Amino acid sequence: QQQVKQSPQSLIVQKGGISIINCAYENTAFDYFPWYQQFPGKGPALLIAIRPDVSEKKEGRFTISFNKSAKQFSLHIMDSQPGDSATYFCAASGTGTGNQFYFGTGTSLTVIP
Amino acid sequence: DSGVTQTPKHLITATGQRVTLRCSPRSGDLSVYWYQQSLDQGLQFLIQYYNGEERAKGNILERFSAQQFPDLHSELNLSSLELGDSALYFCASTRGLAGSTDTQYFGPGTRLTVL
């Protein structure tokens, strides 16, 4: 059973546009939600993370929006650039969730110049 | 550079063989996680160790095993290899256990090719 559901599977955006990736979860014990960026042949790298006590977190062009009641969170990439082309994974973890991080299935983002 | 190191970077072997993948966590990190990533697949959690002890198990095959040593480095052993075991294997580390304020930092991965 997929603990964290991620969509879309792939995304194509024009340069300068907004990329939006969505994730949903069921386990209310999750209390930490990181996003990872992975380039081909490389390991995932932490991009930005949020805890459920805030509804939004922004770092540069990257913003996480968090909706606790809906159990959803999303990554927004503003002014998308070709260099943002990568695979993005959402994840979730929490105390008492079996010492695991649960990852979404990934979104392949392509930003067209 | 995440501070997590993995060796070797690439590994090519034949079916039926056994290989060992090595991971050194970031300095001060006690937890090590192993993941498998097949082509066009997400990250499949295999196993987690914390300070030398197994703490969580995912979809790890019986042919696979792991351990974490007193110096906190970890090894993932894959035996009786099959073509389907070809994948990227990632190690990640955290300061403590999942659910703490720390997040996972991933190594560069080991690309295993089974011929």
Side-chain angles (χ1 to χ4, degrees):
Chain A
Q1 182 185 1
Q2 192 70 29
Q3 293 262 5
V4 179
K5 296 181 180 178
Q6 182 172 347
S7 63
Q9 186 175 3
S10 62
L11 183 60
I12 299 174
V13 174
Q14 292 278 354
K15 178 182 175 182
I18 302 173
S19 304
I20 301 174
I21 304 170
N22 301 299
C23 284
Y25 64 98
E26 287 297 326
N27 192 338
T28 54
F30 291 146
D31 62 2
Y32 185 68
F33 303 90
W35 284 89
Y36 287 84
Q37 180 188 55
Q38 185 181 27
F39 293 104
K42 303 292 184 183
L46 178 67
L47 189 62
I48 186 172
I50 196 169
R51 289 196 173 274
D53 51 347
V54 296
S55 60
E56 186 175 281
K57 183 173 182 180
K58 184 175 181 179
E59 290 184 3
R61 296 185 293 107
F62 301 92
T63 300
I64 300 178
S65 296
F66 187 84
N67 186 328
K68 189 174 181 178
S69 60
K71 291 184 283 186
Q72 296 174 348
F73 58 110
S74 59
L75 176 68
H76 293 65
I77 304 174
M78 313 300 287
D79 186 26
S80 298
Q81 299 297 312
D84 297 330
S85 297
T87 299
Y88 293 81
F89 292 95
C90 62
S93 72
T95 305
T97 60
N99 297 321
Q100 289 188 43
F101 284 80
Y102 296 89
F103 284 83
T105 51
T107 297
S108 177
L109 171 65
T110 301
V111 181
I112 300 172
Chain B
D1 183 4
S2 67
V4 179
T5 61
Q6 288 187 250
T7 56
K9 192 169 184 178
H10 300 279
L11 200 49
I12 301 175
T13 188
T15 55
Q17 295 299 304
R18 172 190 169 95
V19 297
T20 297
L21 282 53
R22 182 187 170 103
C23 167
S24 292
R26 291 190 318 156
S27 177
D29 284 2
L30 299 177
S31 261
V32 169
Y33 303 74
W34 285 98
Y35 293 88
Q36 180 192 59
Q37 186 177 43
S38 302
L39 190 64
D40 296 330
Q41 294 293 313
L43 291 159
Q44 301 295 316
F45 169 69
L46 295 178
I47 198 164
Q48 182 221 358
Y49 280 82
Y50 175 75
N51 203 20
E53 293 186 5
E54 182 186 306
R55 293 303 297 261
K57 225 170 186 178
N59 297 323
I60 187 167
L61 300 171
E62 286 190 10
R63 301 183 285 109
F64 295 1
S65 65
Q67 55 183 322
Q68 186 179 28
F69 295 86
D71 67 352
L72 301 176
H73 90 271
S74 178
E75 293 181 356
L76 179 67
N77 300 295
L78 314 177
S79 61
S80 303
L81 285 168
E82 301 175 358
L83 295 177
D85 297 328
S86 295
L88 269 168
Y89 290 84
F90 289 106
C91 163
S93 73
T94 60
R95 189 79 46 174
L97 295 168
S100 69
T101 57
D102 299 311
T103 195
Q104 289 188 327
Y105 293 89
F106 282 80
T110 292
R111 181 174 293 280
L112 173 66
T113 302
V114 182
L115 301 176

